[in-house]
Amino acid sequence: MLAGLGAGAQFRKYSNEFLNIGAGARGLGMGGAQVASTEDGSAGYWNPAGLVYVYEHPAVSFMHADYFAGIGKYDYINAAIPLNDKYKTLGISLLRFGVDDIPNTLYLVEPDGSINYNNIQSFSSADYAFIISYSHLFKDDDNSKVQMSWGANTKIIYRKVGTFANAWGFGFDAGFMYKTPKWRLGIAARDVTSTFNAWSFNFSDREKEVLYLTNNDIPVRSTELTSPTLVLGYAYNFRLAEKVHLLAETNLNMTFDGKRNTIISADPVSIDPKFGIEANINDVFYLRGGISNFQQALADGDTLNQKKVWIFQPSIGAGFKVGNVTIDYAFTNLANQGSPLYSHIFSLRLDIMPKKTTPKEKKNDGVPELPKPVKEKKKKVFYPG
């Protein structure tokens, strides 16, 4: 990894790839098709324009997932805070993707050529992203039931590889959402200013010597650039019964860094579609599914003709809401088609609802009415004689 980082600034197709995993079991269960329908705290990740629909009370969300059968850990936490009115919402998100206990074999071979396993040490490699989101509802028409909102993200990225290297990065996202009772349109522009990571390296003299003797480059500094991505989303809400709805969404992920292994692969634009559905039963129980990551690959067992076929990545999920608590589950592949390792993903959302007041408390501006003092009856005392 370290040897592959050059000395100059350059675009990399898969820079900051941990930011493309997703956030929340709902979105991952729907194959990542979220740009038009996201309305909870995870909107700070998918499309900040949808964050404004967290307007009644603050909410916090948590998610944990194992990556590569437990080798990597992916964690996400979010807080959405409505501001003075229902037209503005602030969001704060933290993501971490880390691999711990990586063997460091730099000193495995002694100067005399013998192997000493006691020299193996371990280190961690972790990527962090701190995202501050702001969303504003600038149109709310009661007659046409049309709502329009915009949002923006500021991203601070920190990446660390043991004691060898670390990087700081900054980037910005923007989003727009158009919502009617039946259909929705969403647009998310990610890394609009080309998010960058500035790497710095710190090797001891002994480590430099080992790298030199093993024909490895010794990097000093480098800057990594992430090119912008544009995501277009469309969603439609079908009413199947009085208390049963089916939401279907399509996203088109457009990248501008040259040809990729996607359905539409061109230079400089490649397009990767995603599809997701969600069945909503009485706003209590949810069933979800999605397909994404369409790629061309060699047919199984066909090593002679080199015939390629289209493959895709399916995902499923479910959710359950009780009061102010929502639990979501997804079963999906967090890696890629070359590493089909499916994971169980759970996320929890807690709406921080204010304490309900009784009618008497409302009458007294929320102050509980104290019990009235009981007057003590005077006891009659009888004197003898």
Side-chain angles (χ1 to χ4, degrees):
M1 174 182 175
L2 301 180
L5 294 175
Q10 53 186 302
F11 283 100
R12 296 185 180 274
K13 285 189 177 183
Y14 304 104
S15 172
N16 291 327
E17 191 66 12
F18 77 103
L19 290 177
N20 294 325
I21 296 175
R26 177 185 186 265
L28 292 171
M30 293 177 64
Q34 289 289 285
V35 168
S37 65
T38 180
E39 291 186 349
D40 57 11
S42 65
Y45 172 88
W46 300 107
N47 183 356
L51 192 66
V52 75
Y53 294 104
V54 184
Y55 63 87
E56 291 184 345
H57 37 256
V60 293
S61 304
F62 309 89
M63 188 196 83
H64 172 77
D66 288 336
Y67 206 85
F68 294 118
I71 296 176
K73 307 292 183 182
Y74 181 59
D75 295 285
Y76 167 79
I77 183 172
N78 165 270
I81 307 167
L83 299 181
N84 297 331
D85 50 47
K86 68 176 184 178
Y87 299 105
K88 303 179 186 69
T89 302
L90 179 70
I92 301 173
S93 305
L94 177 64
L95 296 90
R96 180 190 185 271
F97 176 73
V99 178
D100 301 314
D101 297 324
I102 303 172
N104 180 4
T105 59
L106 275 178
Y107 307 130
L108 176 62
V109 181
E110 297 282 6
D112 60 1
S114 62
I115 296 178
N116 187 351
Y117 291 100
N118 294 326
N119 289 340
I120 298 179
Q121 299 176 347
S122 62
F123 65 94
S124 297
S125 175
D127 300 328
Y128 300 86
F130 181 68
I131 305 174
I132 302 175
S133 308
Y134 174 80
S135 184
H136 177 62
L137 184 70
F138 64 91
K139 182 175 182 179
D140 188 8
D141 193 328
D142 292 332
N143 296 324
S144 62
K145 305 298 181 182
V146 170
Q147 295 178 319
M148 288 191 288
S149 61
W150 66 269
N153 288 338
T154 299
K155 299 186 294 188
I156 303 173
I157 300 167
Y158 177 68
R159 306 178 67 182
K160 182 176 177 61
V161 183
T163 59
F164 314 119
N166 63 77
W168 286 96
F170 301 91
F172 301 93
D173 304 331
F176 169 81
M177 188 175 289
Y178 185 100
K179 180 181 176 182
T180 71
K182 290 187 176 182
W183 61 272
R184 308 175 185 183
L185 175 68
I187 302 174
R190 298 171 183 166
D191 304 305
V192 291
T193 57
S194 298
T195 298
F196 76 94
N197 287 43
W199 284 91
S200 61
F201 303 91
N202 181 27
F203 293 101
S204 65
D205 292 338
R206 186 183 176 190
E207 290 168 343
K208 291 179 181 179
E209 181 181 0
V210 174
L211 290 172
Y212 175 77
L213 294 175
T214 53
N215 296 321
N216 283 287
D217 294 333
I218 303 175
V220 180
R221 287 185 180 276
S222 72
T223 302
E224 203 174 76
L225 299 177
T226 306
S227 62
T229 301
L230 183 66
V231 186
L232 307 180
Y234 177 81
Y236 194 89
N237 191 20
F238 298 90
R239 183 176 179 179
L240 304 181
E242 184 179 354
K243 295 183 179 181
V244 180
H245 295 260
L246 181 67
L247 177 72
E249 179 166 350
T250 300
N251 284 181
L252 298 177
N253 288 40
M254 307 171 63
T255 54
F256 305 91
D257 52 6
K259 290 186 177 182
R260 293 194 178 203
N261 188 8
T262 56
I263 285 185
I264 299 177
S265 179
D267 194 2
V269 181
S270 294
I271 301 178
D272 182 23
K274 297 181 179 182
F275 305 96
I277 57 173
E278 177 185 61
N280 179 348
I281 305 172
N282 199 27
D283 290 329
V284 174
F285 187 65
Y286 305 87
L287 292 174
R288 307 181 180 108
I291 53 176
S292 60
N293 200 13
F294 292 84
Q295 293 184 10
Q296 276 192 320
L298 292 176
D300 290 341
D302 185 5
T303 58
L304 181 62
N305 298 321
Q306 299 291 302
K307 181 182 179 181
K308 290 187 176 182
V309 296
W310 282 103
I311 59 175
F312 58 87
Q313 176 181 307
S315 58
I316 58 173
F320 188 70
K321 182 177 181 181
V322 181
N324 63 332
V325 177
T326 303
I327 300 174
D328 292 314
Y329 164 79
F331 183 65
T332 185
N333 180 16
L334 291 178
N336 51 48
Q337 299 287 16
S339 304
L341 299 173
Y342 276 77
S343 302
H344 300 279
I345 303 165
F346 293 91
S347 64
L348 172 70
R349 188 179 81 230
L350 175 64
D351 298 325
I352 305 175
M353 303 173 67
K355 180 182 177 182
K356 293 183 178 180
T357 57
T358 64
K360 288 185 178 181
E361 290 175 336
K362 292 181 179 179
K363 181 179 178 182
N364 294 281
D365 296 328
V367 179
E369 186 175 8
L370 298 176
K372 295 181 180 179
V374 179
K375 293 184 179 180
E376 191 179 44
K377 293 183 179 180
K378 294 183 179 180
K379 296 182 179 179
K380 293 183 179 180
V381 182
F382 297 93
Y383 297 96

